[in-house]
Amino acid sequence: MTESLTQSPAEPAADQEPEPPARPHRVRAVLRRFRRRVPRRPRALPPWSPLAAGVLVGGLLGAGYGLLTAPQYTATGYVVAVPTDKSDPAAALGFAQAYGRVATQLAVLGDAQMWAHVPVATLEENVRTATSPDAPMVSVTATSADPEQAADMANAVARALTRHADAAADDTHVELRQFARATEPTAASSASTAVTGLVGASAGGLLGGLALLVRPRGAARERDRTPAAVPGPASAADVRAQL
């Protein structure tokens, strides 16, 4: 007697792990977020950007120079050469030219410092004289950050020059007399902040324009330096087809 063979169904493995599902959507989402966070490439600047940058930087530098620099005041006095009875106007004109040259010498400035109350070095740096070829007159100009001091320096040098000329009047037969005293200036002779800013902007614009003129030439040269593409050798099949 044969026993019937029965096969029991195979039981599913209890410990079998499910395969992880594909995550294409998650990967794409992560890539999108990463692309958003990464800064994009900046756009190319317009061609006139060097000109605008030059004007802006030059204007700022010029305005800063005007703000940081103290204003300067200028005062001018005049002395005139007068001939005596033993001389003539031509001699007075010649001595006026000579006195204009010696007015800034140490001998005259050494006496002027007592009335100007400033060192001789300050007088040498800030006092200038000028003469006229047509009139026997000498102008003495002084520059200082203090308007009162500028007038005092000009008058002190004119006074010292007159005293030196009077001491030699017996030999030169020419006297120096004060024609007009230097008065305290009411306005600065140096450029204002607005003027220095405009000058700086103009200079910066000029440099920016030069940069615009130079840059296209450099780009053209780079293009010229790029080697031309040489076509490759044709295959034998192409040559036979052409024949």
Side-chain angles (χ1 to χ4, degrees):
M1 182 175 173
T2 60
E3 295 179 356
S4 59
L5 299 176
T6 59
Q7 295 180 355
S8 60
E11 296 181 358
D15 298 337
Q16 185 177 2
E17 296 180 358
E19 297 181 0
R23 307 182 209 176
H25 299 288
R26 294 183 182 180
V27 174
R28 293 175 183 176
V30 172
L31 291 177
R32 289 175 183 175
R33 294 177 183 177
F34 180 76
R35 290 175 182 176
R36 292 177 182 177
R37 294 180 180 179
V38 173
R40 296 181 179 179
R41 184 179 180 181
R43 297 181 179 179
L45 295 176
W48 46 265
S49 57
L51 179 61
V55 172
L56 179 60
V57 174
L60 292 176
L61 292 177
Y65 175 80
L67 290 174
L68 297 177
T69 304
Q72 298 293 317
Y73 296 88
T74 302
T76 304
Y78 299 90
V79 294
V80 60
V82 180
T84 60
D85 297 338
K86 298 180 181 180
S87 182
D88 55 2
L93 180 59
F95 277 104
Q97 301 288 334
Y99 286 135
R101 296 186 182 93
V102 303
T104 55
Q105 300 299 318
L106 185 60
V108 179
L109 298 181
D111 295 340
Q113 68 174 346
M114 297 184 299
W115 298 300
H117 304 290
V118 293
V120 176
T122 303
L123 295 175
E124 290 179 344
E125 183 179 359
N126 298 292
V127 175
R128 297 291 180 268
T129 59
T131 58
S132 173
D134 302 326
M137 187 175 294
V138 180
S139 64
V140 181
T141 302
T143 304
S144 176
D146 185 5
E148 184 178 359
Q149 187 179 26
D152 291 342
M153 288 192 300
N155 290 326
V157 174
R159 181 179 178 182
L161 181 63
T162 302
R163 292 188 59 181
H164 278 267
D166 292 343
D170 295 338
D171 299 329
T172 61
H173 306 290
V174 173
E175 298 177 354
L176 274 185
R177 297 179 183 177
Q178 190 172 25
F179 183 78
R181 287 180 56 85
T183 58
E184 183 177 344
T186 57
S189 58
S190 58
S192 61
T193 304
V195 174
T196 56
L198 290 176
V199 172
S202 301
L206 178 60
L207 295 178
L210 293 177
L212 286 177
L213 295 176
V214 173
R215 187 175 62 175
R217 296 180 181 177
R221 291 177 181 176
E222 291 297 332
R223 289 194 300 268
D224 295 341
R225 292 176 182 175
T226 304
V230 179
S235 60
D238 296 339
V239 173
R240 292 176 182 175
Q242 292 178 1
L243 295 175

